[in-house]
């Protein structure tokens, strides 16, 4: 079995875990695009809400991305390394929570898959990890927000972009995956875990502190300060 790669959560504050590999593998229902162990995170407020309000648009139409707490939040490098791929230029789509609004979106899924990585990942970047033979990708970034360039060295916790809704995304979130190569169209997914975080289970009001692991599906997580001796990647 491939050993898991331990990285830091790529944000501050509280985020909701979706499509967690702790629930199933492949986590997104496919091995394509290096996403076997990928996970999504949606920014929430202190009440664990994903957006500031719900109204008729939530039930019947699309919604402005600015409603969502994740939109525009800083995205941080999950590990020390070198940026080996950057793609910008994709727009941020309107958000879709309504089942009616999701129908035309679902019908376009096959076309996006045929278009390849950029149509699925949207604005994204890939970091070659310094201490591992692995590559970590961050996807669905806000249009124009990527702050790094190919060849640039980054350190864990450095702001590299903002959360957006580009690519194959129904509402603002950050998609994280670790791969065995820099090109998602040819790479295989690699198991990962996250360093030191607080986790609120969806089945309980209290939280637990985890030194390393994967959030359960539907849990809310918040990164905690990393002890210097733990910064191995």
């Amino acid at each position: 079995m491939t050993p898991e790669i331990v990285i830091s959560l790529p944000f501050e504050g509280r985020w909701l875990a979706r499509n967690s590999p702790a629930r199933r593998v492949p986590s997104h229902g496919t091995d394509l695009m290096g996403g076997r162990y990928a996970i999504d995170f949606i920014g929430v407020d202190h009440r664990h809400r994903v957006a500031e309000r719900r109204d008729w648009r939530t039930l019947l139409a699309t919604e402005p991305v600015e409603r969502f707490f994740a939109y525009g939040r800083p995205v941080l490098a999950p590990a020390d390394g070198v940026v080996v791929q950057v793609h910008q230029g994709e727009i941020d789509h309107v958000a879709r929570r309504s089942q009616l609004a999701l129908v035309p979106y679902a019908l376009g899924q096959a076309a996006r898959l045929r278009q390849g990585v950029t149509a699925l990942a949207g604005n994204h970047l890939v970091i070659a990890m310094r201490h591992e033979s692995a590559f970590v990708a961050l996807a669905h970034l806000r249009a124009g927000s990527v702050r790094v360039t190919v060849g640039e060295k980054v350190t864990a916790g450095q702001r590299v972009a903002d959360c957006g809704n580009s690519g194959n995304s129904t509402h603002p979130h950050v998609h994280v995956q670790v791969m065995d190569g820099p090109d998602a169209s040819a790479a295989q997914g690699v198991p990962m875990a996250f360093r030191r975080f607080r986790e609120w289970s969806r089945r309980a009001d209290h939280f637990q502190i985890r030194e390393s692991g994967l959030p359960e599906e539907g849990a809310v997580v918040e990164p905690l300060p990393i002890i210097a001796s733990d910064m191995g990647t």
Side-chain angles (χ1 to χ4, degrees):
M1 179 179 293
T2 304
E4 64 185 15
I5 302 295
V6 182
I7 59 178
S8 298
L9 287 165
F11 44 70
E12 297 177 339
R14 298 184 186 186
W15 295 67
L16 173 68
R18 290 295 191 200
N19 298 313
S20 174
R23 177 188 63 165
R24 67 172 185 178
V25 175
S27 58
H28 284 60
T30 178
D31 284 324
L32 294 175
M33 304 296 175
R36 181 172 177 81
Y37 302 97
I39 188 169
D40 296 324
F41 292 103
I42 306 166
V44 298
D45 68 357
H46 69 284
R47 294 165 58 187
H48 297 177
R49 300 178 303 165
V50 301
E52 61 184 20
R53 69 179 182 272
R54 299 176 66 90
D55 57 18
W56 69 269
R57 300 189 66 90
T58 309
L59 299 176
L60 301 174
T62 60
E63 298 177 86
V65 290
E66 291 80 9
R67 284 188 177 185
F68 291 79
F69 298 116
Y71 188 67
R73 280 191 181 179
V75 176
L76 313 179
D80 297 344
V82 177
V83 178
V84 293
Q85 189 176 125
V86 169
H87 178 78
Q88 297 204 76
E90 307 298 322
I91 65 169
D92 287 303
H93 306 295
V94 292
R96 301 170 187 266
R97 284 188 286 180
S98 160
Q99 292 301 310
L100 290 175
L102 285 169
V103 171
Y105 176 85
L107 293 175
Q109 183 72 3
R112 288 189 292 273
L113 184 59
R114 287 193 297 270
Q115 292 172 44
V117 174
T118 57
L120 295 173
N123 304 309
H124 65 278
L125 61 90
V126 179
I127 299 169
M129 297 176 64
R130 180 179 300 173
H131 301 295
E132 302 283 356
S133 298
F135 301 79
V136 58
L138 303 168
H140 310 308
L141 305 174
R142 184 178 183 178
S145 74
V146 178
R147 299 176 171 220
V148 293
T149 57
V150 171
E152 184 174 341
K153 294 181 179 179
V154 295
T155 57
Q158 176 181 337
R159 185 172 183 176
V160 292
D162 300 341
C163 178
N165 196 43
S166 60
N168 189 40
S169 177
T170 57
H171 52 275
H173 73 285
V174 178
H175 173 104
V176 187
Q177 65 185 51
V178 177
M179 311 175 290
D180 64 1
D183 180 1
S185 64
Q188 299 294 313
V190 175
M192 63 181 168
F194 295 99
R195 289 189 187 89
R196 205 157 187 268
F197 57 91
R198 183 181 287 115
E199 177 177 8
W200 288 265
S201 168
R202 62 180 176 176
R203 296 184 297 270
D205 293 331
H206 64 277
F207 64 81
Q208 62 174 320
I209 293 177
R210 303 184 62 184
E211 296 301 326
S212 179
L214 278 171
E216 71 171 46
E217 178 68 15
V220 169
V221 298
E222 180 181 37
L224 295 172
I226 305 299
I227 301 171
S229 61
D230 290 340
M231 294 296 291
T233 56

